[in-house]
Amino acid sequence: MDAILFETPAEGVALITINRPERRNSLGKEVREGLFAAWERFERDPALQVAILTGAGDKAFCAGGDLKEMAETVLKVPPLDMFPILGQSIEVTKPTIAAVNGVAFAGGWLMAQGCDLCVASDNAQFAVTEAKVGRGSPWAVPLITMIPQRIMMEVLMTGRALSAQRAYEVGLVNRVVEPDQLIPAALELAKEIAANAPLSVRAAKETVRLATEMGQSAALRAARHLWRPVYTSDDAKEGPRAFAEKRAPVWQGR
């Protein structure tokens, strides 16, 4: 049984599933290697515009690192390339959506945090549990741009889980749905994004990154440069033309 499943359930959409439900989809070696390969496959395929990341079963999206493996290998400071951290150890320029079913603890929170959007089932739970096992969470730094400072303090220092509803209230989650609606809801969101002009969508993702990492003036200058190729693209002509002709646009991504 493959540790990672890679499917294309809709045009332009990839569904990446961590497939170790008997281990609560923890981030063992096979899972980590499979995720690196899956993200690379998604990024390189021009036919795919949006990816959804989920976990098999309804108990866990991902329970985090494999603590048994860590104990056996006496893992100290994990190397940056040990885990496929989007935007850090692996670059994915297209939109990504976490579809969280069950627990997203430690490395599971990390996987969900790294995606651009998050849909959660109402039985999902989110926790950075490292303080409870004496491990570290330097990767949590980007949280400061997602949730309020005092919520972040509480999350990191207590290790206590947030419910899906609480995660939605503090801005970590975009939508909360019934468990049987999780993948359909994520697919609906993915298809809505995939129907848009791909150059505009990718530039939008990069604009958000610039806005969170730079001061306003620097981000504005960088964003103007970033969007110039979009304004002058064939798709920028196709969009208004299709609107005038009352038809769906045919995007070329150029």
Side-chain angles (χ1 to χ4, degrees):
M1 187 168 60
D2 292 336
I4 301 296
L5 304 180
F6 192 103
E7 305 167 270
T8 52
E11 184 178 357
V13 179
L15 176 62
I16 300 170
T17 305
I18 304 173
N19 191 35
R20 281 290 183 266
E22 74 283 0
R23 300 180 190 173
R24 302 181 82 199
N25 297 319
S26 61
L27 295 166
K29 186 173 184 291
E30 289 184 348
V31 170
R32 298 195 305 270
E33 291 176 350
L35 283 172
F36 272 112
W39 287 124
E40 184 176 355
R41 176 179 173 183
F42 167 65
E43 179 70 7
R44 288 186 175 185
D45 191 336
L48 297 174
Q49 300 302 323
V50 185
I52 299 169
L53 175 67
T54 195
D58 58 2
K59 303 294 184 184
F61 167 75
C62 173
D66 188 328
L67 293 179
K68 182 179 178 181
E69 178 188 279
M70 290 180 184
E72 290 172 349
T73 59
V74 195
L75 180 67
K76 293 184 179 179
V77 180
L80 182 61
D81 61 356
M82 181 176 179
F83 297 101
I85 307 174
L86 298 180
Q88 295 184 46
S89 60
I90 188 167
E91 189 66 29
V92 174
T93 61
K94 307 174 194 179
T96 57
I97 302 170
V100 178
N101 42 327
V103 302
F105 288 176
W109 178 305
L110 167 61
M111 296 296 112
Q113 172 187 294
C115 292
D116 301 311
L117 302 170
C118 182
V119 178
S121 64
D122 60 14
N123 65 351
Q125 296 183 67
F126 299 81
V128 180
T129 55
E130 275 74 359
K132 291 183 176 295
V133 293
R135 299 294 298 171
S137 52
W139 46 262
V141 167
L143 274 180
I144 200 62
T145 65
M146 301 179 184
I147 63 177
Q149 178 178 324
R150 290 192 174 180
I151 302 299
M152 182 175 174
M153 286 282 195
E154 182 179 350
V155 164
L156 296 183
M157 292 192 294
T158 68
R160 190 188 313 125
L162 300 179
S163 68
Q165 182 59 34
R166 181 58 174 158
Y168 173 77
E169 290 169 357
V170 301
L172 187 69
V173 167
N174 295 89
R175 300 180 187 178
V176 178
V177 297
E178 295 288 335
D180 63 351
Q181 291 302 304
L182 178 65
I183 298 303
L187 273 172
E188 178 186 12
L189 185 57
K191 288 190 285 189
E192 185 176 0
I193 295 170
N196 291 332
L199 294 180
S200 293
V201 169
R202 292 190 200 185
K205 172 173 176 169
E206 181 65 8
T207 297
V208 173
R209 189 187 69 80
L210 293 175
T212 57
E213 294 181 3
M214 293 182 171
Q216 180 173 302
S217 296
L220 280 169
R221 289 193 296 271
R224 291 189 189 102
H225 177 75
L226 171 69
W227 283 92
R228 187 176 299 278
V230 180
Y231 282 125
T232 57
S233 68
D234 291 342
D235 283 353
K237 300 172 185 175
E238 167 64 7
R241 185 186 304 120
F243 179 83
E245 296 174 0
K246 298 181 179 180
R247 60 174 175 83
V250 180
W251 307 120
Q252 301 297 321
R254 62 173 188 265

